[in-house]
Structure formats: C-alpha cells, structure tokens
Amino acid sequence: MVGCCFSCSLWFLLCLAALFIVSSESALNRYQFDVQVKNVSRLCHAKPIVTVNGRFPGPTIYAREGDRVVVNVTNYAQYNLSIHWHGLKQFRNGWADGPAYITQCPIQSGRSYVYDFNVTDQRGTLWWHAHILWLRATVHGAIVVMPKRGVPYPFPQPDAELNIVLGEWWHKDVEVIESQANSLGVPPSLSDAHTINGKPGPLFPCSEKHTYAMEVESNKTYMLRIISAALNDQLFFNIAGHNMTVVEIDAVYCRPFSTHALLLAPGQTTNVLVRTNQVPGRYFVAAKPFMDVPIPVDNKTATGILQYKGVPNSVVPSMPPLLSKNDVGFVKSFNDKLRSLNSPQFPANVPLQIDRHLFFTVGLGRDPCPTCLNGTRFIGAINNITFTLPTVALLQAHYSRISGVFTRDFPDRPPTVFNFTGAPLKANLGTKVGTRLSWIPFNSTVELVLQGTNLVGVESHPFHLHGYNFFIVGRGIGNFDPDKDPASFNLIDPPERNTIAVPTGGWTAIRFRANNPGVWFMHCHLEVHTTWGLSTAFLVENGDRPEDSLLPPPMDLPPC
Ligand SMILES: *[C@@H]1O[C@H](CO)[C@@H](O)[C@H](O)[C@H]1NC(C)=O
Ligand SMILES: *[C@@H]1O[C@H](CO)[C@@H](O)[C@H](O)[C@H]1NC(C)=O
Ligand SMILES: *[C@@H]1O[C@H](CO)[C@@H](O)[C@H](O)[C@H]1NC(C)=O
Ligand SMILES: *[C@@H]1O[C@H](CO)[C@@H](O)[C@H](O)[C@H]1NC(C)=O
Ligand SMILES: *[C@@H]1O[C@H](CO)[C@@H](O)[C@H](O)[C@H]1NC(C)=O
Ligand SMILES: *[C@@H]1O[C@H](CO)[C@@H](O)[C@H](O)[C@H]1NC(C)=O
Ligand SMILES: *[C@@H]1O[C@H](CO)[C@@H](O)[C@H](O)[C@H]1NC(C)=O
Ligand SMILES: *[C@@H]1O[C@H](CO)[C@@H](O)[C@H](O)[C@H]1NC(C)=O
Ligand SMILES: *[C@@H]1O[C@H](CO)[C@@H](O)[C@H](O)[C@H]1NC(C)=O
Ligand SMILES: *[C@@H]1O[C@H](CO)[C@@H](O)[C@H](O)[C@H]1NC(C)=O
Ligand SMILES: *[C@@H]1O[C@H](CO)[C@@H](O)[C@H](O)[C@H]1NC(C)=O
Ligand SMILES: [Cu+2]
C-alpha cells in the first residue's frame, strides 16, 4: 500500500519533471534581415523604399517565451540604420535594444550587426522597427512570442491567428520630407494614406491589388494580433458587423472585454478574439485617425476585407460605422475598460512603496532658428529640456565611462510651476537643449507623472519606455494634483504596457521597478515629436551582484 503510493507519487513527480523539462526547453530562432531598397507601388505611383528582405511590412519574428533570438541585420541601403525590438525588455542587454545613438551606433551601409537576445518572462504581440530618421515608416514587422510549450492562453484557444500591421504611406520619400521639414523648422507633410498590412484598400485609387483580405470560415474564433506601426497618427480600428474581445495589450494579458472598436497609438499592440458568427459575407475592416484638437491630420480611412470562405468577390462589402475623428467619449470609455488580468498566474505586481517621484512636463514649443522659415522651429521638451542625440551611443559612453557625452542630472521636476494646461502660451518661450539623463539607482520603484503642456497647443502624446513595462495607475484632464489625484490611483489591476497616450491637455501616472540596468530611451512615439526632441533617457545603475549588472557589449557592436 505504502509502496504503491510511493511509486505512484514518484511516477507523478517524474511526470512533473518531464513536463517541466518540455516546457522549459528553449529554442534558438535565427533570422537574416537584409535591409535593401525596393521599388514598391501604391496609390498609382511606384517609389523606392527601404525594406527588410524586400518585403513591406517586413518578415514576422516568431519565438516562444524563453527562446533566444538571433537576427543578423545586414545593411545594403544608403542610410545608416538600427533596429529596435519594441517592447522586448532586453534584460541586462541594452546592446540589443536598437535606438541609434542611445544603445548603439547605427549599422553603416555595407555592414552587419547581430542582435542576440533572450525573450524572458514575456509573451504576446510586439513588433520591430528601424530606430533612426524616419526609416521605420517602411522598415517594420511583427514579433509573435508564443507562450511556453504546453502553456495555454488564459482565454479559449482560437482556431487561427492573423497579424494585422497598421501603417502610414507617403507618395514622396519620407527621408526627403523629414529633412526638408527640419531645415525649415515646420511640421512635415501628412501621410497620403493609412495602410493595413501595407495596403491602403479600395477607398484609394489603383488599389485593386492593394487590398488586404483575410479569408475566414464561419463559426470559428480568430485571434487578430494588431500592431500600430503608424508614425504620427493614433488610429481607430473596427470591423463591420463584428465585435471584438480584447485579450492582450502590448504583450500583456488583460481582463477581457467586448468592444465594437479599438484605439491604438503608434507603438501599441492589441490582441482581439473575433467570432465569425455573422451571415457569410464580406465585411470591411477600417483604420482611421483619432485627433481631438484642430491639428491637421491624415484623415483618410484604410480598409481591408474580412471575407467568409465561399463568398464571391462580387459581393460589395459592408462598411463599419466610422467613429468621428474627435470621439473623446469612445476613447475615455475604451481606456476605462483596460485592466490587467491580475490572475494568480499573471499577477499585477504594481509597486506600492515609491522610492522616486518624478514629474515630467511633456509638450511642444518654439526655439529660435535663424535659418528657418519663420526664424523659429518647432521643438519638443520634457521639463523644458529639448533632447539632442549625441554622436557616441549613450550606453557605450556609460559602460566605457566616456565623459562629455551626457550628464546624469535630468531634473525630477520642471524648473517652473505654471498652469500647465491653461490658456495657450503663444509666446516663444525657448528651451534648454541637451543630452541629460535621469539617473536611477538599481531596483528603485519609480512613479512618473507625465503632464501635458499647452505651450504652443495641447495634443495627446503617446509615450514609449524602452527596457520596461509599466503600470498606468492614473490619468486625468487638466493639471495633476499631487494632494488629491493619488487617492484615485488604481493599484490593484491597472493596465500594464510599454506605450501610453497621455490625454490631450491632461496627465498620466505610471509606475515601474527599475530592475533592468542600462540606458533606456523614453520618448513620444509620434515620429514628428521624437525628431523635435520630445524624449529623454533613464540611466539605471547596476545592482551589487553580477547578475544585476549590464552584460558586456557584443564584439560586433557597430562603431561610430
Ligand atoms: C520604380 O518604378 C517606376 C515606375 O515603374 C520607374 O519609373 C522607376 O524607374 C523605378 N525605380 C527604380 C529605382 O527601379
Ligand atoms: C551576417 O550576414 C552577412 C551577409 O550575409 C554575412 O556576411 C555575415 O557573415 C553574417 N554574420 C554572421 C555573424 O553570421
Ligand atoms: C540568454 O540565455 C542564455 C541561457 O541562459 C545565456 O547563456 C545568455 O547569456 C543569455 N543572453 C543574453 C543576451 O542575455
Ligand atoms: C510663419 O509665420 C507666418 C506669418 O506670421 C504664419 O502665418 C505661419 O503660420 C508661420 N508658420 C509656421 C509654420 O509657424
Ligand atoms: C454557425 O452556427 C449557427 C448557430 O449555431 C448555425 O445556425 C449556422 O448554420 C452555422 N454556420 C455554419 C456555416 O456552420
Ligand atoms: C456588439 O456589442 C454591442 C454592445 O454589447 C451589441 O449591442 C451588439 O449587438 C453586438 N454586435 C454583434 C454583431 O454581436
Ligand atoms: C480631411 O482633411 C482635409 C484637409 O486637411 C479636409 O479638406 C477634409 O475636409 C477632411 N475630411 C474629413 C472627412 O474630415
Ligand atoms: C488653468 O487654466 C485653465 C484654463 O484657462 C483654468 O480653467 C484653470 O482655472 C487654471 N488653473 C489654475 C490653477 O489657475
Ligand atoms: C525654459 O528654458 C528657457 C531657457 O532657459 C527659459 O527662457 C524659459 O523661460 C523656460 N520655460 C519654462 C516654461 O520654464
Ligand atoms: C528588488 O527589491 C524587491 C523589494 O525590496 C526585492 O524583493 C527584490 O529581491 C529586489 N530585487 C533585486 C534583484 O535585488
Ligand atoms: C553613417 O555613420 C558614419 C559613422 O557614424 C558617419 O561617418 C556617416 O556620415 C554616416 N552616413 C550617413 C549617410 O549619415
Ligand atoms: Cu508627441
């Protein structure tokens, strides 16, 4: 009896061990990325664009949680270039993060660099993109991190999965547009189309071949992995006749909820389940911008088609009800529904004791520019500091103790307190220009309030932090009140993500534990604002132990 029990439980333990071995086995996923120029045709025009492996969008990276990913990026284009793996935490491994002049010097024409990283403790939909100039307009693609083998999703297993990458398309060369706008100090021209998997759809001319169609079978559940690779526009996304169940944001499972539309800021990802339970037919899928202030925006709608199998192409698809450009009511209710799953398996480890309180004003301004059109140029600033990229990568300067590249005195608070979101201050206030980093001791808990400003106008700024996810514990309209607002923070199940849109004329409070040593860029993910200097970086110190310290740089790290 005892023996039997013993052998039973031994057998059980062996089984468990076998299971553990199976689920902890990690694979090596190798990719070759040839960055090359290719002539691509859209909207009746052909133009050369920078691509990876000649594809637009580029190839998808597949991995499982725990895997190692090795990508040999070879640059055959005329531009210096680097690639960022957006949302991958790159624990101790900033060398593989990718933002040019932050964690590495760019890969020069004709050279290669091997990005080598582990996908640790995260799973879901992320993406990769060029992180220099405006090259990410065409140099981007999906990253799909599957759960460990044998570990199910915390929601019903979908019958199939599809990736949907939203983007923006310009007739002209984006690099010409960017450099002309910069030399004149004015905003660059708006995109000419939005795209769904690289295609603008039939609302645009010459689009017969340029419409993304996803064929589906009736009565199945599809998981759509939706990525916003747009440069300057936040996008609504919906499907005619079908609701979506949101299950994941920025590669973090969330509390599921049903919705008829989504909002994605540039850089964000959202996984949804769609049940194909409608009359077999053809249904438009639409992406159009959200903009709640009178700032010019590319207001055109990209469409794709959800096509039930067997339905002929002659059937005219039905259009979903389009949200109005400034539907702040929808945006608020959508954001209110976003919560962490906060299950025993996926707890929301929100920092409760805060070591460091940061208050950053984020917004636009104007600085003198004698050579510009109006004698001034648009700038972005955080705490009145306009970030300038160095000519030596910050991470290398930090690791090799090269002095004179940056200072670590980024202020915790703005120099002056004013009515941040009050009447527009049209005056040319000017900013300090510099490469100043916010210095954070290892493993500190940080609360950062991002406060929008109205120095030339209010606007929603989607902020992205490299190296970390963070919890969005609070947000509001107007000025953050440090005495009153923390009382309404959600410290139980706040959404966790890597990119968050600070509301127009308002603030957002985020929390994270600084347990990943290195230099981590934080910036507005509107490319136009990053270009203007709406960015900064955190310098997170090493811990005491070797395993809490930055790894040494790889041998092939590109030189400047
Ligand atoms: C791209 O295609 C257009 C139209 O077919 C053509 O005029 C142009 O020469 C091509 N450019 C290159 C670099 O192949
Ligand atoms: C990366 O690719 C280039 C071009 O194919 C090749 O020359 C180089 O040897 C590769 N690097 C590694 C480490 O495989
Ligand atoms: C990836 O994981 C392997 C195995 O644990 C380890 O040897 C390697 O150093 C890790 N690489 C990085 C870049 O963290
Ligand atoms: C430049 O100045 C003119 C005249 O004051 C004004 O109308 C225009 O809007 C300004 N342009 C920009 C980009 O600020
Ligand atoms: C889908 O399910 C509905 C309801 O269960 C059923 O009426 C319909 O026939 C099914 N359609 C197909 C194509 O199986
Ligand atoms: C979508 O959800 C709304 C609100 O719950 C509901 O009224 C509507 O009937 C749903 N539509 C479909 C096609 O299920
Ligand atoms: C889109 O913007 C253009 C120019 O900014 C404007 O003329 C047009 O009326 C707008 N269309 C819609 C549907 O808002
Ligand atoms: C800030 O400005 C807004 C709008 O002009 C005004 O409603 C608010 O009362 C001002 N707040 C303070 C503290 O002055
Ligand atoms: C920002 O800094 C500039 C230059 O030091 C100064 O003139 C300006 O008053 C400051 N603006 C604010 C809002 O603090
Ligand atoms: C970071 O701090 C937390 C809370 O004090 C502690 O539990 C954890 O072990 C620390 N992590 C490291 C790597 O020191
Ligand atoms: C590429 O980078 C190198 C080294 O930083 C620099 O000398 C060169 O001018 C850059 N080329 C371009 C086209 O920007
Ligand atoms: Cu911005």
Side-chain angles (χ1 to χ4, degrees):
M1 190 75 187
V2 166
C4 169
C5 246
F6 176 72
S7 63
C8 285
S9 55
L10 187 67
W11 193 83
F12 177 66
L13 277 177
L14 279 173
C15 258
L16 259 186
L19 252 180
F20 180 75
I21 288 161
V22 168
S23 65
S24 68
E25 136 198 311
S26 70
L28 167 58
N29 309 269
R30 279 189 188 278
Y31 289 87
Q32 175 68 37
F33 272 24
D34 287 341
V35 177
Q36 53 195 211
V37 173
K38 194 168 182 230
N39 214 3
V40 164
S41 165
R42 294 286 184 279
L43 313 175
C44 322
H45 303 265
K47 67 161 187 176
I49 62 168
V50 182
T51 67
V52 166
N53 299 349
R55 292 165 62 184
F56 172 69
T60 300
I61 298 260
Y62 291 94
R64 273 188 196 279
E65 180 180 348
D67 281 2
R68 179 173 166 207
V69 176
V70 172
V71 189
N72 181 6
V73 177
T74 305
N75 185 4
Y76 297 103
Q78 72 271 40
Y79 302 105
N80 290 337
L81 170 143
S82 66
I83 290 188
H84 170 52
W85 316 90
H86 184 114
L88 283 171
K89 293 179 195 166
Q90 305 288 11
F91 183 57
R92 302 171 56 209
N93 187 31
W95 309 110
D97 191 38
Y101 300 109
I102 307 295
T103 59
Q104 68 167 94
C105 293
I107 308 163
Q108 297 178 32
S109 293
R111 303 276 182 84
S112 296
Y113 176 47
V114 178
Y115 291 89
D116 185 343
F117 52 88
N118 295 322
V119 182
T120 310
D121 210 17
Q122 53 185 152
R123 77 301 299 162
T125 306
L126 293 168
W127 63 299
W128 55 266
H129 61 82
H131 211 303
I132 187 169
L133 306 170
W134 276 33
L135 291 174
R136 79 173 175 87
T138 58
V139 181
H140 61 246
I143 300 176
V144 173
V145 180
M146 299 298 291
K148 286 187 176 171
R149 208 174 287 282
V151 177
Y153 295 129
F155 45 80
Q157 181 72 24
D159 296 296
E161 301 185 0
L162 295 163
N163 300 338
I164 296 189
V165 181
L166 310 178
E168 278 178 88
W169 179 266
W170 278 261
H171 282 311
K172 291 202 200 134
D173 184 335
V174 283
E175 291 314 321
V176 173
I177 289 171
E178 188 208 356
S179 62
Q180 283 177 348
N182 284 348
S183 64
L184 297 176
V186 300
S189 51
L190 304 176
S191 53
D192 296 299
H194 292 109
T195 54
I196 297 177
N197 282 345
K199 298 173 177 181
L203 301 187
F204 292 87
C206 308
S207 264
E208 305 76 48
K209 285 185 308 218
H210 303 309
T211 300
Y212 172 70
M214 44 184 165
E215 199 179 53
V216 295
E217 286 174 34
S218 279
N219 289 345
K220 300 249 188 266
T221 301
Y222 289 83
M223 182 157 81
L224 310 187
R225 298 173 174 272
I226 306 159
I227 295 162
S228 177
L231 273 81
N232 298 323
D233 297 336
Q234 300 195 38
L235 293 169
F236 291 124
F237 176 90
N238 60 358
I239 309 175
H242 295 74
N243 287 331
M244 298 169 273
T245 303
V246 178
V247 293
E248 184 198 296
I249 49 173
D250 292 5
V252 183
Y253 297 129
C254 66
R255 189 198 290 180
F257 66 94
S258 174
T259 181
H260 65 94
L262 312 173
L263 176 66
L264 288 98
Q268 293 183 330
T269 67
T270 306
N271 284 10
V272 299
L273 301 178
V274 177
R275 188 83 198 138
T276 47
N277 56 3
Q278 297 302 301
V279 178
R282 300 174 84 217
Y283 298 86
F284 269 129
V285 171
K288 63 163 290 188
F290 162 62
M291 174 50 85
D292 58 346
V293 283
I295 290 177
V297 65
D298 172 5
N299 56 16
K300 295 184 259 340
T301 303
T303 49
I305 301 172
L306 179 80
Q307 170 136 7
Y308 282 64
K309 238 179 205 159
V311 175
N313 284 356
S314 53
V315 172
V316 177
S318 49
M319 199 65 185
L322 295 179
L323 288 91
S324 61
K325 194 175 72 172
N326 61 354
D327 195 340
V328 286
F330 169 79
V331 171
K332 184 175 180 328
S333 76
F334 180 76
N335 285 335
D336 285 346
K337 288 180 206 143
L338 294 174
R339 301 287 175 84
S340 280
L341 185 59
N342 193 27
S343 65
Q345 198 186 354
F346 301 102
N349 293 317
V350 189
L352 299 177
Q353 309 289 321
I354 297 299
D355 301 320
R356 186 78 169 274
H357 286 269
L358 303 176
F359 183 84
F360 287 3
T361 57
V362 297
L364 306 181
R366 278 170 182 280
D367 275 3
C369 172
T371 57
C372 290
L373 202 58
N374 276 7
T376 63
R377 64 183 184 108
F378 279 100
I379 50 85
I382 302 182
N383 282 352
N384 205 29
I385 297 163
T386 296
F387 187 81
T388 29
L389 282 176
T391 49
V392 174
L394 297 173
L395 188 62
Q396 194 156 26
H398 163 60
Y399 184 83
S400 309
R401 301 178 197 280
I402 304 168
S403 62
V405 178
F406 64 84
T407 56
R408 43 184 239 185
D409 61 350
F410 192 90
D412 287 9
R413 257 157 280 287
T416 44
V417 172
F418 56 101
N419 190 346
F420 303 113
T421 54
L425 296 155
K426 292 284 185 194
N428 178 21
L429 290 159
T431 58
K432 294 188 182 71
V433 172
T435 309
R436 294 164 66 177
L437 274 48
S438 185
W439 183 78
I440 312 281
F442 178 75
N443 208 25
S444 315
T445 50
V446 178
E447 179 182 292
L448 167 60
V449 176
L450 294 162
Q451 171 70 62
T453 66
N454 197 7
L455 290 172
V456 287
V458 287
E459 180 175 357
S460 172
H461 299 286
F463 265 81
H464 172 49
L465 175 61
H466 291 226
Y468 294 94
N469 283 347
F470 49 73
F471 292 96
I472 299 125
V473 297
R475 85 192 122 82
I477 300 301
N479 301 329
F480 174 71
D481 182 339
D483 298 323
K484 212 174 89 242
D485 288 321
S488 62
F489 282 178
N490 176 1
L491 303 177
I492 310 293
D493 60 357
E496 178 185 345
R497 53 192 328 168
N498 62 55
T499 305
I500 183 65
V502 179
T504 301
W507 57 270
T508 294
I510 64 173
R511 289 185 176 190
F512 62 97
R513 179 180 289 281
N515 54 8
N516 189 7
V519 175
W520 302 109
F521 203 32
M522 189 186 72
H523 60 104
C524 179
H525 218 281
L526 303 184
E527 208 56 30
V528 54
H529 294 172
T530 308
T531 309
W532 290 348
L534 189 41
S535 47
T536 185
F538 289 103
L539 196 176
V540 178
E541 273 303 342
N542 285 338
D544 294 333
R545 304 176 305 172
E547 61 267 40
D548 298 329
S549 301
L550 182 61
L551 291 166
M555 300 296 282
D556 62 340
L557 188 70
C560 271

